Amino acid sequence: MRIGEVAAKAGVSVRALRYYEQQDLLHSTRNSGGQRQYPAGAVERVRLIQRLYSVGLSSKTIRKVLPFTDSGEASPELLELLAAERDRLDRQMRDLRDVRDRLHDCITEARDHDGTGRPS
């Protein structure tokens, strides 16, 4: 597949694909005209990369995780890294729940007042 096709199917920009290549997260070959050609699994790989970025993983961490997704084999170091990232996400989710609960309390309190700061 050509770069524009992968970008459209994955819902990313061509620039993002070039960046993923620069970060060694995605690979392509060049055809005789010099155009990038991606393998059939490129769209799913790009979607995975996006999900990993969306939870806060760095390019460096993603680069370490992707070989596992390809081979299914994990080193003890990778397992440690994945466990640390899982723990970080658990902390982040607890923090988000706390913020959501505080916002809920503010909304409830505001609804219980008439806008003057006094109970309605």
Side-chain angles (χ1 to χ4, degrees):
M1 270 188 284
R2 291 181 22 194
I3 193 167
E5 215 179 332
V6 174
K9 288 182 179 183
V12 300
S13 67
V14 168
R15 184 175 177 183
L17 295 179
R18 289 185 186 123
Y19 176 76
Y20 295 164
E21 283 196 57
Q22 289 172 348
Q23 297 301 307
D24 200 28
L25 305 176
L26 185 66
H27 301 98
S28 67
T29 57
R30 301 279 181 152
N31 66 16
S32 60
Q35 295 175 323
R36 286 178 169 90
Q37 295 287 277
Y38 293 92
V43 172
E44 284 307 311
R45 187 176 187 94
V46 169
R47 289 180 180 152
L48 174 60
I49 291 167
Q50 288 182 293
R51 285 192 302 271
L52 294 171
Y53 269 128
S54 75
V55 298
L57 271 61
S58 67
S59 295
K60 180 180 176 182
T61 300
I62 294 170
R63 198 170 29 258
K64 291 177 183 176
V65 170
L66 288 174
F68 168 73
T69 65
D70 295 336
S71 71
E73 295 179 21
S75 67
E77 295 82 14
L78 178 59
L79 291 174
E80 275 186 46
L81 175 67
L82 294 174
E85 288 299 331
R86 181 204 53 216
D87 294 345
R88 181 187 61 79
L89 289 171
D90 285 342
R91 287 189 303 276
Q92 188 176 10
M93 288 188 306
R94 280 193 303 274
D95 291 346
L96 287 170
R97 277 192 301 275
D98 183 49
V99 170
R100 183 203 56 209
D101 292 347
R102 288 176 187 217
L103 287 174
H104 175 75
D105 293 344
C106 289
I107 292 166
T108 301
E109 188 174 329
R111 285 184 177 150
D112 291 343
H113 290 80
D114 64 4
T116 64
R118 294 174 294 207
S120 41

